[in-house]
Amino acid sequence: MSAAEAGGVFRRARGRTLDAFPSEKEREWKGPFYFIQGADPQFGLMKAWSTGNCDSGGDEWGQEIRLTEQAVQAVNKLKPRPRFFVLCGDLIHAMPGTPWRKEQTADLQRVLARVDSDIPLVLVSGNHDLGNAPTPETVAEFQRTWGDDYFSFWVGGVLCLVLNSQFWYDASRCPALKQAQDQWLDQQLSVAGQRECQHAIVFQHIPLFLQSIDEDDDYFNLTKSVRREVADKLVRAGVTAVFSGHYHRNAGGTYQNLDMVVSSAIGCQLGQDTHGLRVVVVTAEKIVHRYYSLDELSEKGIEDDLMGLMKEK
């Protein structure tokens, strides 16, 4: 499937918003709802990791196809429908300009095209989608293929911000693009800061931190100076949760009133977690989330206590 063909399948973000959710209809709180978060389908990593060749390996991705198909089937079976299904980056493994990128992209688009049309897809950019040090060209490629690399949308009175975390990791080759996102984010956070939304939540690929705001710098988090600056900005605006992937394990912690949620992968696991998805229930007062293995979600669906939260008014 070409990028042009995908345009007819995916409600891709354009103009820094997602038209699947008309803001004039979605700004008002109407009661609890839930969404599904996944991360890192990363077609090709399982073969590359198994051979110890993550830089240039990854010439097979049949396992990831099957796992992502299972994830899509599990999401489609859920009743009531989730409001949306967000994938927090590393959609494929092949970096820009490397072999198998087009093939991995085409196969993932084919699988994601099977997501029920009533469940909007929200696609987040990761380091493998843009490169560890993105350029204007790799960002433009992502936008053509998947949609905007950062944008916002309203759903049920909640302001959702999708961010390009690579700009905070290494923007040395695209400083103007980073500056543009920073300015846009400040404008968006001013809306959240005025408490015009029931909640404000963020989706990005790289976590601010894995467990603690003061932890050491690591490949899997943002540097101390960057993470604290961003976290303080989000906290001041009243953002209550950041959802990310990248770590291929479940992790997370809190900083003041901010919940940093790190979800393991649909694809390759680097720890002891299972291939899975996170169910996130949004109520008037709080955001409650739980990670499910793909088998659990496929066979049993969402547990009664989470379903009960959606009946509260």
Side-chain angles (χ1 to χ4, degrees), residues 4 8 64 79 141 147 160 185 250 254 259 281 287 293 301:
E64 287 95 339
K79 304 290 185 189
E141 181 202 348
C160 299
L185 179 58
N250 287 308
T254 57
D259 188 11
V281 178
I287 297 173
S293 74

Side-chain angles (χ1 to χ4, degrees), residues 25-256:
K25 295 181 180 179
E26 294 289 347
R27 285 178 180 264
E28 182 181 346
W29 176 256
K30 298 183 178 70
F33 64 89
Y34 81 103
F35 63 86
I36 302 296
Q37 184 221 1
D40 301 275
Q42 203 160 343
F43 282 22
L45 177 59
M46 294 177 79
K47 170 69 179 296
W49 184 260
S50 69
T51 61
N53 184 13
C54 287
D55 289 336
S56 57
D59 59 338
E60 297 176 10
W61 48 92
Q63 294 178 88
E64 287 95 339
I65 288 176
R66 289 189 292 273
L67 289 163
T68 309
E69 286 175 339
Q70 185 181 2
V72 169
Q73 291 164 5
V75 170
N76 284 345
K77 285 170 58 178
L78 294 172
K79 304 290 185 189
R81 290 271 192 254
R83 289 303 310 272
F84 59 89
F85 178 20
V86 57
L87 286 175
C88 282
D90 278 4
L91 306 176
I92 60 172
H93 180 63
M95 290 277 194
T98 64
W100 309 301
R101 185 169 172 87
K102 289 182 179 178
E103 294 84 354
Q104 290 172 6
T105 297
D107 281 345
L108 179 57
Q109 289 181 334
R110 176 178 53 79
V111 174
L112 293 181
R114 299 173 188 166
V115 175
D116 191 287
S117 60
D118 292 332
I119 306 172
L121 270 172
V122 179
L123 301 172
V124 183
S125 60
N127 58 303
H128 280 261
D129 306 310
L130 300 171
N132 286 322
T135 68
E137 291 74 23
T138 64
V139 172
E141 181 202 348
F142 181 87
Q143 292 173 335
R144 288 192 303 269
T145 305
W146 301 108
D148 283 348
D149 55 318
Y150 63 90
F151 55 95
S152 66
F153 61 95
W154 288 83
V155 55
V158 174
L159 177 60
C160 299
L161 304 174
V162 174
L163 304 181
N164 181 341
S165 56
Q166 288 311 118
F167 291 155
W168 292 323
Y169 183 82
D170 184 353
S172 60
R173 302 175 70 186
C174 57
L177 296 183
K178 175 188 182 296
Q179 183 180 21
Q181 177 178 258
D182 288 345
Q183 292 174 345
W184 173 90
L185 179 58
D186 287 343
Q187 294 170 344
Q188 295 292 314
L189 291 178
S190 70
V191 175
Q194 295 163 20
R195 304 301 190 266
E196 295 178 358
C197 49
Q198 193 73 23
H199 299 282
I201 57 180
V202 165
F203 301 103
Q204 61 189 55
H205 180 62
I206 302 178
L208 299 173
F209 55 88
L210 299 174
Q211 295 175 318
S212 167
I213 193 76
D214 297 316
E215 69 195 20
D216 292 338
D217 293 349
D218 186 275
Y219 171 78
F220 290 108
N221 59 21
L222 295 176
T223 61
K224 283 185 179 181
S225 59
V226 171
R227 86 174 70 123
R228 189 172 285 276
E229 177 186 354
V230 174
D232 285 340
K233 181 183 292 190
L234 298 181
V235 168
R236 284 195 302 271
V239 174
T240 52
V242 176
F243 292 90
S244 71
H246 189 51
Y247 192 43
H248 293 257
R249 286 152 283 201
N250 287 308
T254 57
Y255 173 62
Q256 299 186 36

